[in-house]
Amino acid sequence: MKQPITQSILDQDIYYHVVFPTFKRLPLFKDDTVKAELIELVEATMVEKNIDVLIYNILSDHMHLLIHKQYHQTLPDLVKYLKGRSTFYFYALHPDFTIGLGRKRLWAKGYHSKVIKDAQQLENTVLYIHHNYDRHADEVIL
């Protein structure tokens, strides 16, 4: 049975809702095969760098994560690892992948984060990430 989220759990841990877009918000991950490969790369980075992600969702032009930051970690480093390693390994698999600029980028600079302050906000964030849909599903890939 799932353990309920309580305020005491939140007091011990820090959770962040993190969002970062693709480069120029291009719908780079519309293809199911490409998206599946990216998921594998992101999950491998989570394991390799001990990044505790409760839930995530990769959409065609951005990514949502609910990260549990441990006391010895910094959020900028966690995001840097996720973005940097996924880009590096993605281009190792797809050296000819291009977005028309000649540069090997997947993600825009920076990210948005919001601290989760209570159990209700944590639950709402989980539901939001889980039910987030891809608004670009019917668009043509650039």
Side-chain angles (χ1 to χ4, degrees):
M1 184 167 160
K2 181 178 163 185
Q3 180 181 8
I5 299 166
T6 63
Q7 189 62 46
S8 63
I9 290 172
L10 288 169
D11 290 341
Q12 297 171 20
D13 301 310
I14 300 176
Y15 294 87
Y16 292 93
H17 179 194
V18 177
V19 180
F20 47 87
T22 59
F23 182 70
K24 294 196 173 188
R25 201 75 191 224
L26 295 170
L28 301 178
F29 309 120
K30 287 180 53 133
D31 180 271
D32 289 340
T33 303
V34 171
K35 186 174 178 178
E37 290 170 345
L38 183 65
I39 288 169
E40 286 183 29
L41 297 172
V42 167
E43 289 179 353
T45 301
M46 290 175 193
V47 170
E48 180 182 336
K49 290 295 183 180
N50 195 28
I51 301 171
D52 187 10
V53 176
L54 278 68
I55 186 171
Y56 71 96
N57 192 355
I58 299 174
L59 302 164
S60 63
D61 68 346
H62 68 286
M63 181 173 184
H64 288 267
L65 304 107
L66 182 55
I67 296 177
H68 166 226
K69 186 190 82 57
Q70 299 173 27
Y71 73 94
H72 63 280
Q73 299 171 319
T74 67
L75 188 60
D77 283 344
L78 298 177
V79 174
K80 179 178 80 170
Y81 291 135
L82 288 167
K83 290 169 69 174
R85 289 184 182 266
S86 63
T87 299
F88 177 80
Y89 290 120
F90 182 84
Y91 278 103
L93 289 172
H94 301 281
D96 297 327
F97 186 83
T98 181
I99 54 177
L101 302 170
R103 296 183 67 193
K104 296 187 173 188
R105 298 188 67 176
L106 292 179
W107 307 108
K109 290 183 180 181
Y111 60 94
H112 173 74
S113 66
K114 188 171 191 174
V115 175
I116 305 301
K117 296 180 181 174
D118 58 40
Q120 184 62 53
Q121 185 181 8
L122 183 62
E123 188 172 322
N124 290 344
T125 303
V126 167
L127 291 172
Y128 176 80
I129 292 171
H130 179 73
H131 293 295
N132 206 321
Y133 69 95
D134 201 337
R135 294 180 195 123
H136 301 289
D138 297 327
E139 291 181 7
V140 177
I141 293 178
L142 301 175

